[in-house]
Amino acid sequence: MSTPAIPTNTKWWNGGRSPFNASYGKVMMWYFLMSDAFTFGAFLISYATLRFSLNGWVDANHVFNAFPFFGHQDLPLAFVSLMTFILIASSVTMVLAVHEGHKMNRKGVEKYMILTIIGGLAFLACQAWEWTHLLTGEHFVLNANGAIGALNTTVSHNPWGHFVDHDAVLKAMQLTSPEVLRDMVMEHDHSATLASLEHLSKADLISKIDLNAVHVAHVGPPSFGSYFFGITGFHGFHVFSGVVINGIMLAKTKLGHFDQRGHYEMIEKAGLYWHFVDLVWVFVFLCFYLI
Amino acid sequence: MSAHGTSAEITIPHEHGAGTGRIWKIFWLLSAITVVELIMGFGLAKHWYGDPDNNHTKILVVKGVICVLSLAKAFYIVSVFMHLGDEIRNLIMTIVVPLCLFIWFIAAFLWDGNSWLNLKNTNAGSRPAQTEQHQPAAVEKDKKP
């Protein structure tokens, strides 16, 4: 698919010119991105292999169902859709910045680079909220000692196993500490307070727990947290470094470096990196949230 | 930096389209594919395709379609946003041909994962001496409700 400007009989491999018809820097950026694709690919394929090897896996729609300011409503895929559209939008503003660069329009490049940086920061903010939500949100699990406890999501443990059936929960509640039972009451009975439950006996507490409203799960596969935080963290680090690179490019544009140089190819190379970050998100989104 | 004019790197400049029409077209296409993916994924969450424990094939087909849609998104991002489609064949091939390793990479490792699952769930591959010691624990783990 060569552009009409290139003569059809050009001998690319005869020396004296780039056989790829691209500058050294651009070709090397492509090779770097290819190697980075293999790094991400290895992570995701390792995750998939482990998931294939287990009989059960975490239900992503159950884990990622929260949205800021919507409390405990069950909204699967909602927040991650927002993150996806933020990244697609910032990809478009990036390609528009490259387009303005081709036209040597400094003001246009500045405008679209600022929008791209804002998009990147918005994505990072979303990821920070999501991680905080997982790391601080505790859910009830059936522990190995037969009692019920509360667990958050970390790289080493998570509460996202299969649900425990009602009979087993009833049995486990007898072994559970009053503190956890109080938390279980307050989970669904929002009128209850710590003070109002303090004097109740264990049997009274158990009678107040509605098992249709409070779910107790088995401890989830530990590898879920390792892979989720590892891979989204590695992607988030790419987004962060992309924002830093774009910030440097914006500063260099404002200082007029590219006008002096006579071309905006650095914007193109930063753009390649930024689009790659979006490309990786397509697959992270696919593997962790969609399927 | 100022050496650009005298640099030995000779490239034939691309003809850049004047408008941004194609960029916006691809933006709407990517958004539309994402919306379709989200609807199909939402169906997985809400069990539209039947009980997940009994409709493995149906759900696998839905997930396969979502994967193909993601590959289409990847193609448009690389081809249009990253302008690889506008480069000459030599550059396209030096990037795309090595990426074909992924075909082997994915097939071999998923096959391996599936093989582990079979070894875990059946007696295949277990040594007689280990069967008695380890089998009960493994079965108990698998029988989680």
Side-chain angles (χ1 to χ4, degrees):
Chain A
M1 282 212 287
S2 48
T3 52
I6 299 171
T8 43
N9 58 349
T10 308
K11 290 187 166 54
W12 295 108
W13 301 97
N14 277 9
R17 66 167 74 247
S18 162
F20 300 118
N21 197 34
S23 70
Y24 176 82
K26 212 164 145 185
V27 174
M28 289 306 129
M29 179 52 98
W30 271 107
Y31 285 150
F32 163 68
L33 294 182
M34 185 174 67
S35 74
D36 219 15
F38 276 108
T39 309
F40 271 108
F43 285 158
L44 287 172
I45 290 167
S46 148
Y47 157 78
T49 307
L50 199 116
R51 211 177 133 169
F52 263 60
S53 75
L54 297 175
N55 278 303
W57 189 250
V58 174
D59 180 3
N61 293 308
H62 182 53
V63 182
F64 308 107
N65 66 350
F67 203 94
F69 312 116
F70 279 79
H72 287 287
Q73 286 184 53
D74 181 36
L75 300 165
L77 290 171
F79 192 60
V80 75
S81 320
L82 174 69
M83 291 169 75
T84 303
F85 281 109
I86 287 172
L87 220 48
I88 292 179
S90 83
S91 227
V92 171
T93 55
M94 184 76 230
V95 78
L96 289 171
V98 173
H99 187 84
E100 295 297 326
H102 289 152
K103 294 195 293 188
M104 298 295 291
N105 177 5
R106 191 166 106 186
K107 283 276 166 257
V109 173
E110 284 174 10
K111 181 177 97 183
Y112 286 119
M113 287 307 280
I114 289 170
L115 289 174
T116 308
I117 291 168
I118 291 171
L121 291 175
F123 181 87
L124 286 172
C126 289
Q127 199 169 38
W129 181 85
E130 186 180 47
W131 276 36
T132 310
H133 182 77
L134 286 173
L135 288 164
T136 56
E138 293 195 326
H139 299 264
F140 299 112
V141 288
L142 181 61
N143 283 325
N145 61 5
I148 295 167
L151 214 56
N152 58 346
T153 310
T154 70
V155 288
S156 56
H157 62 239
N158 66 73
W160 306 115
H162 297 286
F163 285 131
V164 180
D165 59 66
H166 285 190
D167 294 340
V169 175
L170 285 170
K171 220 168 87 184
M173 284 198 293
Q174 306 296 332
L175 301 167
T176 303
S177 69
E179 287 81 15
V180 175
L181 290 175
R182 272 179 222 132
D183 285 343
M184 287 176 79
V185 175
M186 288 189 288
E187 173 82 7
H188 64 89
D189 183 0
H190 298 294
S191 62
T193 60
L194 216 50
S196 72
L197 299 173
E198 211 166 29
H199 60 278
L200 292 180
S201 69
K202 228 168 119 167
D204 286 341
L205 284 171
I206 289 171
S207 68
K208 283 175 89 76
I209 294 170
D210 177 9
L211 285 184
N212 291 314
V214 182
H215 297 292
V216 178
H218 289 281
V219 175
S223 47
F224 170 74
S226 332
Y227 276 114
F228 176 77
F229 287 115
I231 293 175
T232 60
F234 196 58
H235 176 263
F237 178 67
H238 275 74
V239 177
F240 172 72
S241 48
V243 168
V244 171
I245 290 167
N246 284 345
I248 295 168
M249 290 307 133
L250 175 64
K252 285 177 80 70
T253 308
K254 275 193 179 293
L255 291 170
H257 288 182
F258 303 130
D259 283 334
Q260 285 165 24
R261 215 179 279 181
H263 60 84
Y264 278 77
E265 203 191 73
M266 285 301 279
I267 298 286
E268 274 183 61
K269 284 183 264 190
L272 284 177
Y273 184 74
W274 190 254
H275 294 310
F276 177 76
V277 167
D278 183 29
L279 179 68
V280 169
W281 181 254
V282 168
F283 291 102
V284 173
F285 174 58
L286 172 74
C287 294
F288 279 102
Y289 301 91
L290 277 178
I291 61 175
Chain B
M1 293 287 174
S2 58
H4 176 75
T6 56
S7 145
E9 271 181 34
I10 302 164
T11 59
I12 300 167
H14 296 287
E15 279 191 348
H16 300 292
T20 53
R22 189 162 77 134
I23 296 169
W24 287 109
K25 211 180 95 189
I26 296 302
F27 168 71
W28 289 114
L29 186 67
L30 289 175
S31 302
I33 295 174
T34 306
V35 168
V36 172
E37 281 183 334
L38 284 167
I39 291 169
M40 294 178 78
F42 193 73
L44 285 172
K46 296 293 173 194
H47 297 186
W48 288 353
Y49 317 108
D51 178 24
D53 293 325
N54 298 320
N55 291 286
H56 287 297
T57 318
K58 211 167 164 186
I59 285 169
L60 218 56
V61 169
V62 172
K63 288 181 174 180
V65 172
I66 296 177
C67 287
V68 171
L69 288 174
S70 287
L71 286 174
K73 267 163 64 174
F75 170 80
Y76 285 115
I77 290 171
V78 175
S79 168
V80 179
F81 284 2
M82 296 170 89
H83 297 294
L84 189 62
D86 302 330
E87 303 286 354
I88 66 163
R89 200 181 146 83
N90 289 346
L91 182 56
I92 296 174
M93 286 304 150
T94 194
I95 302 302
V96 172
V97 171
L99 287 179
C100 290
L101 266 172
F102 268 119
I103 298 169
W104 163 82
F105 200 176
I106 292 169
F109 275 75
L110 294 193
W111 196 316
D112 204 32
N114 199 46
S115 158
W116 288 350
L117 183 69
N118 285 336
L119 293 179
K120 211 181 310 186
N121 291 348
T122 66
N123 286 325
S126 62
R127 292 173 192 153
Q130 288 182 331
T131 311
E132 284 190 59
Q133 287 174 2
H134 294 288
Q135 208 56 27
V139 167
E140 203 177 37
K141 244 185 197 168
D142 300 338
K143 283 274 167 69
K144 271 177 192 172

